């Protein structure tokens, strides 16, 4: 018996809708001419790894095109098939936050990167093989670290002239707080997986130091007493984390 198998996800569930053939699994559409090329003889045997790889290609394409709802659905399918796919989890949550990022604007990229990174780390922490954890965390850091640096540099480029105590709710202050939180939480997430590892200690210390410097710089600007107290508490807490590894650390 001849069947049509989707070339993107491998699913045999392809039906004709409005003159096109549509995969019910991943949503890919084919013209009648294209569908003819997908006809296979006999029962369709799916290779799950090929299916996941094809879904991944399509999901990244949809994300790049800004079709976040479609991309999220595809990343969700990947996670269902491959629960330890940490990058799929990262992008699943990233696509899910697309509307919020557009709504909140400045600083929102940092907020959601922090959340995506933490969720991916939770998946990595559950991996049963230690070397898989290491490789997965390396991949996650390699992907996200340039974004963290970019967001931190944006913060440093922002001028804060004439800020008064009532201005700690401005977009600039939200951006400062979001970047500080992003690098700090990402450092904490790494620490939870590898609390004392030479390779990852260097990375989390770099993140904690960035966060601590942001807290220190923020003291230059007048803010409300409540925000000032909170910043001081966070600053001291971060210094304590860093000094576990570098006892003499101090901001010059």
């Amino acid at each position: 018996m001849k069947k049509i198998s989707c070339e993107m996800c491998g699913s045999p569930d392809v039906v004709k809708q409005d003159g096109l053939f549509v995969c019910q699994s991943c949503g890919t559409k084919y013209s009648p001419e294209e569908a003819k090329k997908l006809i296979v003889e006999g029962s369709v045997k799916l290779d799950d790894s090929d299916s996941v790889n094809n879904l991944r290609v399509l999901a990244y394409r949809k994300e790049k095109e800004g079709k976040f709802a479609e991309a999220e659905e595809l990343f969700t399918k990947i996670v269902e098939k491959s629960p330890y796919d940490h990058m799929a989890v990262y992008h699943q949550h990233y696509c899910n936050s697309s509307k919020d990022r557009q709504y909140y604007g400045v600083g929102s990229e940092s907020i959601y990167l922090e959340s995506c990174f933490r969720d991916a780390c939770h998946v990595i922490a559950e991996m049963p093989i230690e070397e898989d954890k290491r490789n997965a965390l390396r991949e996650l850091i390699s992907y996200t670290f340039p974004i963290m640096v970019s967001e931190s540099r944006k913060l440093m480029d922002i001028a804060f002239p004439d800020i008064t105590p009532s201005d700690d709710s401005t977009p600039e202050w939200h951006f400062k707080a979001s970047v500080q939180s992003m690098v700090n939480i990402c450092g904490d997430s790494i620490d939870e997986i590898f609390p004392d590892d030479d390779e990852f200690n260097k990375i989390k210390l770099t993140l904690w130091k960035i966060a601590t410097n942001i807290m220190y710089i923020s003291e230059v600007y007048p803010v409300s007493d409540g925000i000032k107290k909170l910043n001081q508490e966070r600053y001291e807490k971060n210094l304590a984390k860093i000094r576990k590894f570098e006892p003499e650390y101090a901001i010059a």
Side-chain angles (χ1 to χ4, degrees):
M1 179 180 177
K2 293 182 177 181
K3 293 184 178 182
I4 295 177
S5 177
C6 176
E7 65 177 351
M8 291 309 301
C9 71
S11 172
D13 190 10
V14 180
V15 300
K16 191 172 184 180
Q17 296 176 350
D18 300 324
L20 296 174
F21 288 84
V22 183
C23 174
Q24 302 302 293
S25 179
C26 70
T28 302
K29 297 179 181 179
Y30 302 95
S31 67
E33 292 75 19
E34 292 171 328
K36 289 178 182 178
K37 300 176 184 178
L38 305 177
I39 295 176
V40 295
E41 294 286 349
S43 60
V44 178
K45 294 183 179 180
L46 299 179
D47 184 322
D48 212 40
S49 63
D50 287 343
S51 173
V52 169
N53 288 335
N54 289 336
L55 282 171
R56 188 179 289 110
V57 169
L58 184 58
Y60 280 118
R61 182 191 305 167
K62 294 293 185 182
E63 181 182 318
K64 188 175 181 180
E65 293 171 352
K67 298 176 180 178
F68 294 112
E70 294 178 45
E72 182 191 357
E73 185 176 343
L74 291 166
F75 282 120
T76 299
K77 291 181 183 295
I78 294 170
V79 174
E80 289 172 354
K81 292 175 177 287
S82 182
Y84 292 128
D85 194 322
H86 56 290
M87 293 307 298
V89 169
Y90 178 95
H91 287 279
Q92 177 191 30
H93 289 271
Y94 181 82
C95 292
N96 179 263
S97 69
S98 61
K99 289 184 179 179
D100 289 338
R101 293 198 313 275
Q102 292 171 6
Y103 178 79
Y104 289 109
V106 66
S108 62
E109 196 75 18
S110 304
I111 295 171
Y112 291 104
L113 186 149
E114 165 196 321
S115 176
C116 296
F117 189 95
R118 185 174 56 226
D119 290 337
C121 279
H122 288 162
V123 171
I124 293 172
E126 296 299 320
M127 291 180 176
I129 301 174
E130 191 74 4
E131 191 58 28
D132 287 348
K133 287 184 181 181
R134 301 184 70 85
N135 291 332
L137 189 54
R138 288 182 188 124
E139 182 182 19
L140 180 63
I141 290 168
S142 177
Y143 180 82
T144 57
F145 204 82
I147 305 173
M148 294 183 204
V149 172
S150 174
E151 290 296 293
S152 299
R153 284 177 177 167
K154 285 180 190 176
L155 171 67
M156 298 307 177
D157 290 340
I158 289 180
F160 296 95
D162 304 321
I163 291 181
T164 65
S166 62
D167 286 332
D168 51 33
S169 61
T170 62
E172 289 85 356
W173 278 109
H174 282 301
F175 188 33
K176 176 199 74 68
S178 66
V179 172
Q180 180 271 125
S181 178
M182 171 190 68
V183 291
N184 204 30
I185 293 297
C186 290
D188 289 350
S189 297
I190 295 171
D191 188 55
E192 288 175 8
I193 302 175
F194 291 105
D196 192 9
D197 178 275
D198 288 342
E199 176 186 355
F200 295 114
N201 284 350
K202 294 177 182 178
I203 297 170
K204 67 191 179 190
L205 279 169
T206 297
L207 295 172
W208 286 339
K209 287 177 182 179
I210 291 173
T212 306
N213 273 275
I214 292 172
M215 297 171 196
Y216 180 78
I217 291 170
S218 69
E219 292 300 312
V220 176
Y221 306 101
V223 293
S224 62
D225 290 341
I227 295 295
K228 187 173 183 178
K229 181 180 179 182
L230 183 60
N231 279 345
Q232 184 62 31
E233 290 173 352
R234 288 174 174 170
Y235 177 72
E236 292 174 357
K237 185 177 180 180
N238 261 42
L239 281 179
K241 289 191 295 187
I242 296 169
R243 286 172 178 165
K244 285 182 180 180
F245 300 92
E246 298 180 9
E248 303 302 319
Y249 176 79
I251 295 178

